[in-house]
Amino acid sequence: NRKTEALADAEHAVAVDPASSTAHLSLSLVQQAGFNLDAALASAQQAVQLDPGNVRALIQQSSLLFGMGRLREAVKVAEQARRLAPNDAMVNTVWGFLQLAFNRFDEGRDAFEAAIAQDSTLGLPHLGLGLVLFRRNQTDAAVAEMRKATLLEPKVSLYNSYLGKAFYEVKDD
């Protein structure tokens, strides 16, 4: 199957050039897709060790730590990415979700709005902004942002899931 092939290709890339941060990042992404999160984190960490300026690897590492509930570590890594690329949409998106996790809604909103200004074609910052607005009981605006996320990236089921939940919550009000 394709996951097995992708994993073999990524492992081969690392074997061919073990000093390549990009190869380790690719391996991390494939491992994440296969739900091997510990291995994905190790590969992302190796990518950062090889190239501390690899913003994509930092974001991958921070995102994995966040997903594992290791929030303080995720923040520390995200701060490194922010120092390197403060105007990067994905950096600001991850930062926004971390702020949201700590109930820092104003900081989260600022990060998501910055990400949208930097790249309005990404769905994830619209979802994040929608969640901030939802937590602020601004349900109409929240639903509008979540709709944007689903329209921008209709194949991402996560956006549709949150949008459905938002509609359900609005219906109950």
Side-chain angles (χ1 to χ4, degrees):
N1 74 33
R2 289 186 176 187
K3 284 185 183 179
T4 303
E5 290 173 22
L7 181 60
D9 288 346
E11 288 172 339
H12 178 72
V14 169
V16 168
D17 190 359
S20 170
S21 177
T22 302
H24 286 276
L25 174 58
S26 296
L27 179 59
S28 175
L29 293 166
V30 172
Q31 290 165 326
Q32 180 184 9
F35 300 104
N36 189 348
L37 301 183
D38 290 328
L41 178 58
S43 294
Q45 289 169 327
Q46 182 63 31
V48 170
Q49 185 176 4
L50 290 166
D51 180 4
N54 185 333
V55 174
R56 292 290 161 246
L58 287 165
I59 289 304
Q60 173 70 355
Q61 183 180 350
S62 181
S63 297
L64 287 164
L65 289 165
F66 177 69
M68 294 172 167
R70 296 164 59 180
L71 299 180
R72 302 252 181 249
E73 292 172 82
V75 166
K76 186 176 177 181
V77 175
E79 285 172 339
Q80 289 177 265
R82 290 184 77 217
R83 282 192 294 276
L84 292 169
N87 296 318
D88 183 278
M90 285 308 298
V91 169
N92 281 308
T93 299
V94 169
W95 186 252
F97 278 105
L98 287 166
Q99 297 311 300
L100 193 56
F102 287 102
N103 294 319
R104 296 180 190 137
F105 301 122
D106 291 338
E107 293 88 346
R109 182 181 187 145
D110 290 346
F112 292 128
E113 288 177 344
I116 292 166
Q118 290 149 355
D119 186 347
S120 61
T121 66
L122 296 174
L124 199 54
H126 287 282
L127 174 66
L129 181 55
L131 293 172
V132 169
L133 294 168
F134 203 76
R135 294 249 181 118
R136 295 278 190 192
N137 292 318
Q138 299 173 4
T139 53
D140 290 341
V143 167
E145 287 301 322
M146 290 178 191
R147 277 186 172 167
K148 287 177 191 174
T150 60
L151 290 171
L152 288 167
E153 298 181 64
K155 293 183 179 181
V156 178
S157 62
L158 176 70
Y159 305 157
N160 290 307
S161 175
Y162 274 103
L163 182 60
K165 181 169 176 35
F167 279 131
Y168 179 79
E169 294 291 329
V170 169
K171 180 185 75 122
D172 283 352
D173 286 348

